[in-house]
Amino acid sequence: MPAIVLDQNWTNLPGGKWQPQFNDNGVWVDANGQTPISFLPLVRSNPAGDEKALSGAFTVPGGSQYQAHSIPQSANQVRLNPV
């Protein structure tokens, strides 16, 4: 399964485990506990409607939608890689 780049549009994600990444000068880097807060991918989920910064791999239930939520503190692109 290919990686998915999130933007402001709602995107259906297949159920499974995903690793968030951020773009650092053209290189996709895994977000983890060492990632500076300004680089953490910020996403919004639907139907739950919650919003969170992703600092590591997470499990997506089937039928969920996600979107990137860019704010001045987190303006980087978000990519999700299947793991």
Side-chain angles (χ1 to χ4, degrees), residues 9-10 16 27 30 37 45 72 76:
N9 297 311
W10 288 105
V27 177
D30 285 354
I37 190 71
S45 67
N76 293 301

Side-chain angles (χ1 to χ4, degrees), residues 3-13 28 41-44 54 58 65-70 76-80:
I4 296 174
V5 176
L6 294 181
D7 57 21
Q8 294 298 312
N9 297 311
W10 288 105
T11 301
N12 291 315
L13 288 183
W28 289 104
L42 185 65
V43 301
R44 190 178 290 159
L54 298 174
F58 66 106
Q65 293 183 317
Y66 285 78
Q67 73 176 172
H69 185 205
S70 293
N76 293 301
Q77 287 182 300
V78 180
R79 184 169 86 165
L80 300 178

